[in-house]
Amino acid sequence: MAQQKPVKSHIVPKAYLNNFTKSNGKLFKLRTDLQKRPRPTEVHPSGICYQKGFYQFNDANPIQGYTINETNILEDYGFLYENKLGKLIERLTTSTDPLPIEVAEEFALMLFDIKARNQYMRQHSFSKQNIHTVINDLLVEHHQRRQELEPILQAKGSTFERLVELTEGLRHDWTKDDAAIKELHNRSLLENKINPSQTRQLVFNKMARGNWTILKTTLNHQFITSDNPGYCQDSNNMIHNTRFIGQVGFLFPLTPYHLLIIVMEGNQLGPLPLQKVVSYKYAEVNWVRGINQTTWQMATKEVYAAHENPLLQTWASLHSSLII
């Protein structure tokens, strides 16, 4: 098959970033690694959070058992929800009417997917260090279950030694270079589009069932966002990129003036209600400042805002500086 030209893959959807633009269609960006007083740069959303071919597969058969003729299938099929994302955010931020529960669950899926498809996820969850940890844990499990596994393997004409060898082969295949890590991340994204895991379905169910609150703020105290928007906070106030176990809150900035908080209990299972009632309340100034600081710390490398001041204020607070 002829090599296709890589598409410009947006790691954070433009439909989301557009909510943080000014009337001229631009927003301000700032790198998070600057130690001296920074100067935000004004940019268009189409010029940030993208990388050519980020979601493109190397071949046309990315997952065993599926025959894919389009190496850009994640762009062409997997991320079609982007057409709805902007409208759903507008609905949540301009109307207090309850959402049909299927719409709330779909929106929860979109927000989770933004986290899953992100560059932060690829760099951390699919890092070589994490892959080594997974393989080591798998080998330990093999040895713990050796007596159980050996007759099963023997019936299939294989051996325990061969199983260990194949597992070590996965370590080599998955960590040999950055292209292999990219392929592994993309495979996980596609697999959960074609055949969503039960675990993910439970997460969406838990998010849709949780208590939803929109925090509203004003022109003087705006929310910022980043190239890795949203984070989780557990019952011990520990911050995680994604963690949906036990009691946890999921915070996601929607616009400079609105942030969604989904508070989930430990075991929220069973039938969903017919509608999702959303609460609306004004955020205290300290809340906005604390949320912006965490948004900054969870960024991969850049933060964004509709105006310069929230970025400069957040930088100053993190660097213990009074210079704004």
Side-chain angles (χ1 to χ4, degrees):
M1 187 178 83
Q3 181 69 29
Q4 299 180 7
K5 183 180 179 180
V7 299
K8 185 186 289 187
S9 302
H10 272 85
I11 299 166
V12 178
K14 285 192 295 182
Y16 168 74
L17 294 170
N18 284 338
N19 290 289
F20 288 83
T21 60
K22 303 186 300 178
S23 57
N24 65 358
K26 295 182 178 181
L27 46 70
F28 286 93
K29 76 169 182 177
L30 199 61
R31 280 181 21 217
T32 57
D33 60 350
L34 299 176
Q35 298 301 314
K36 295 184 178 180
R37 188 180 187 277
R39 179 176 296 178
T41 305
E42 194 174 21
V43 295
H44 192 275
S46 62
I48 58 176
C49 291
Y50 75 86
Q51 183 176 321
K52 287 185 177 180
F54 189 79
Y55 302 112
Q56 187 174 24
F57 286 100
N58 295 330
D59 58 59
N61 189 21
I63 294 181
Q64 186 177 4
Y66 296 102
T67 301
I68 306 299
N69 295 320
E70 176 53 69
T71 57
N72 286 321
I73 188 171
L74 283 172
E75 292 281 0
D76 297 338
Y77 160 70
F79 302 144
L80 289 180
Y81 64 80
E82 293 180 4
N83 298 325
K84 300 180 180 179
L85 180 61
K87 293 180 180 178
L88 283 176
I89 291 176
E90 182 180 8
R91 178 173 179 175
L92 269 173
T93 56
T94 60
S95 172
T96 58
D97 293 337
L99 294 174
I101 196 61
E102 62 270 16
V103 174
E105 195 167 18
E106 183 179 31
F107 189 61
L109 184 153
M110 294 177 187
L111 298 185
F112 184 91
D113 203 61
I114 290 173
K115 301 298 294 180
R117 68 186 270 185
N118 201 272
Q119 190 172 30
Y120 185 100
M121 183 70 75
R122 182 173 294 182
Q123 291 179 355
H124 292 78
S125 296
F126 290 85
S127 66
K128 291 183 179 180
Q129 179 180 354
N130 268 7
I131 292 172
H132 283 306
T133 299
V134 170
I135 295 298
N136 290 340
D137 289 346
L138 191 57
L139 289 171
V140 169
E141 182 182 353
H142 288 346
H143 284 282
Q144 290 174 342
R145 298 178 56 203
R146 180 167 184 166
Q147 290 185 339
E148 174 190 349
L149 291 172
E150 282 188 328
I152 299 174
L153 293 168
Q154 186 177 4
K156 294 182 178 182
S158 188
T159 64
F160 182 80
E161 289 71 21
R162 179 56 178 161
L163 175 63
V164 171
E165 182 182 344
L166 290 173
T167 305
E168 285 291 357
L170 290 177
R171 185 198 301 275
H172 173 267
D173 292 343
W174 291 351
T175 61
K176 59 185 177 182
D177 53 35
D178 290 341
I181 292 174
K182 169 190 172 183
E183 197 81 353
L184 184 62
H185 179 216
N186 285 346
R187 286 185 184 190
S188 74
L189 293 173
L190 182 57
E191 177 67 16
N192 277 289
K193 294 295 181 185
I194 296 175
N195 185 28
S197 68
Q198 184 179 10
T199 300
R200 290 220 174 171
Q201 295 289 3
L202 290 174
V203 168
F204 305 148
N205 182 282
K206 187 174 181 180
M207 291 175 72
R209 180 180 295 283
N211 296 318
W212 289 30
T213 300
I214 298 286
L215 290 186
K216 301 169 69 174
T217 186
T218 63
L219 179 64
N220 294 328
H221 305 286
Q222 299 175 36
F223 293 113
I224 68 172
T225 190
S226 78
D227 51 7
N228 178 36
Y231 61 89
C232 291
Q233 185 171 344
D234 65 25
S235 56
N236 295 317
N237 292 324
M238 297 294 292
I239 302 301
H240 309 271
N241 182 48
T242 54
R243 183 181 176 86
F244 296 92
I245 300 172
Q247 186 178 27
V248 67
F250 179 61
L251 293 81
F252 203 99
L254 302 177
T255 78
Y257 310 106
H258 304 88
L259 178 134
L260 173 64
I261 300 180
I262 303 177
V263 177
M264 294 158 274
E265 300 298 330
N267 295 301
Q268 291 179 313
L269 302 174
L272 289 168
L274 295 178
Q275 291 184 317
K276 167 52 58 182
V277 177
V278 182
S279 301
Y280 294 80
K281 63 188 299 183
Y282 281 98
E284 297 179 7
V285 173
N286 288 338
W287 293 4
V288 178
R289 289 174 179 169
I291 290 168
N292 284 348
Q293 288 175 10
T294 307
T295 295
W296 183 296
Q297 292 167 335
M298 292 303 300
T300 304
K301 62 180 180 179
E302 290 182 346
V303 286
Y304 314 110
H307 297 89
E308 293 179 279
N309 277 349
L311 295 177
L312 295 174
Q313 290 167 352
T314 306
W315 177 87
S317 65
L318 290 170
H319 290 78
S320 301
S321 171
L322 297 178
I323 302 175
I324 304 297

